[in-house]
Amino acid sequence: MDLFGINGGEFVVLAVLAIVILGPEKLPEYAKKLANLVKEVRRMANGAKEQLREEVGDEVADIDWKKLDPRQYDPRRIIKEALIDEFDDAVNVAKGTPAKTVAPAPVRTAVPSITTQQQLGANEPAPFDSEAT
């Protein structure tokens, strides 16, 4: 059991200290207060979860929170996997098997291609648009 970073041995030491400091007379009263505090915190957490679900909608329930956990993005692991992939690709190329490559996306130009009539002469300056950024 590892609750709040306290293992079993530390919990026993804290319990013995509580008995010594508080005394056997007041210990049940403080234990009851602690139990009520834990129940209240749980109730508040559940209320906040319900309020969030009501305000945001049911799509929150469908979110896989583990995928969004930043602890899974260990830079060392990411670099290691990238290097292993590159090594595997190099080995495959050496063996003669094609490497796993992703085809580049086709490049789309916003400007239509220049026709032979639009080509500039040898000493003709290029057109300039002063309003272009």
Side-chain angles (χ1 to χ4, degrees):
M1 176 174 93
D2 193 21
L3 184 69
F4 300 115
I6 300 173
N7 62 22
E10 292 172 345
F11 183 75
V12 170
V13 170
L14 288 175
V16 170
L17 281 175
I19 292 171
V20 171
I21 292 172
L22 298 175
E25 303 86 31
K26 291 187 179 182
L27 190 60
E29 177 185 338
Y30 283 105
K32 186 175 181 179
K33 286 182 181 181
L34 179 63
N36 288 337
L37 176 69
V38 169
K39 287 179 187 176
E40 184 67 21
V41 168
R42 282 186 184 169
R43 186 189 61 76
M44 289 172 53
N46 287 334
K49 189 187 309 182
E50 275 303 313
Q51 183 179 2
L52 180 68
R53 183 171 286 145
E54 288 173 4
E55 290 178 3
V56 177
D58 287 334
E59 61 264 5
V60 172
D62 297 336
I63 295 176
D64 185 12
W65 294 106
K66 290 181 181 178
K67 286 184 179 179
L68 301 175
D69 185 9
R71 293 176 289 186
Q72 72 177 342
Y73 299 111
D74 181 20
R76 294 171 292 194
R77 182 182 53 83
I78 293 170
I79 292 171
K80 180 180 172 186
E81 289 174 358
L83 291 174
I84 288 174
D85 287 345
E86 289 177 7
F87 178 75
D88 290 343
D89 289 345
V91 169
N92 289 337
V93 168
K95 288 182 179 178
T97 25
K100 298 181 292 185
T101 57
V102 177
V107 178
R108 297 184 181 217
T109 58
V111 179
S113 61
I114 298 175
T115 63
T116 54
Q117 295 172 349
Q118 295 172 332
Q119 290 181 353
L120 299 175
N123 294 327
E124 186 179 355
F128 178 74
D129 185 6
S130 61
E131 294 180 11
T133 56

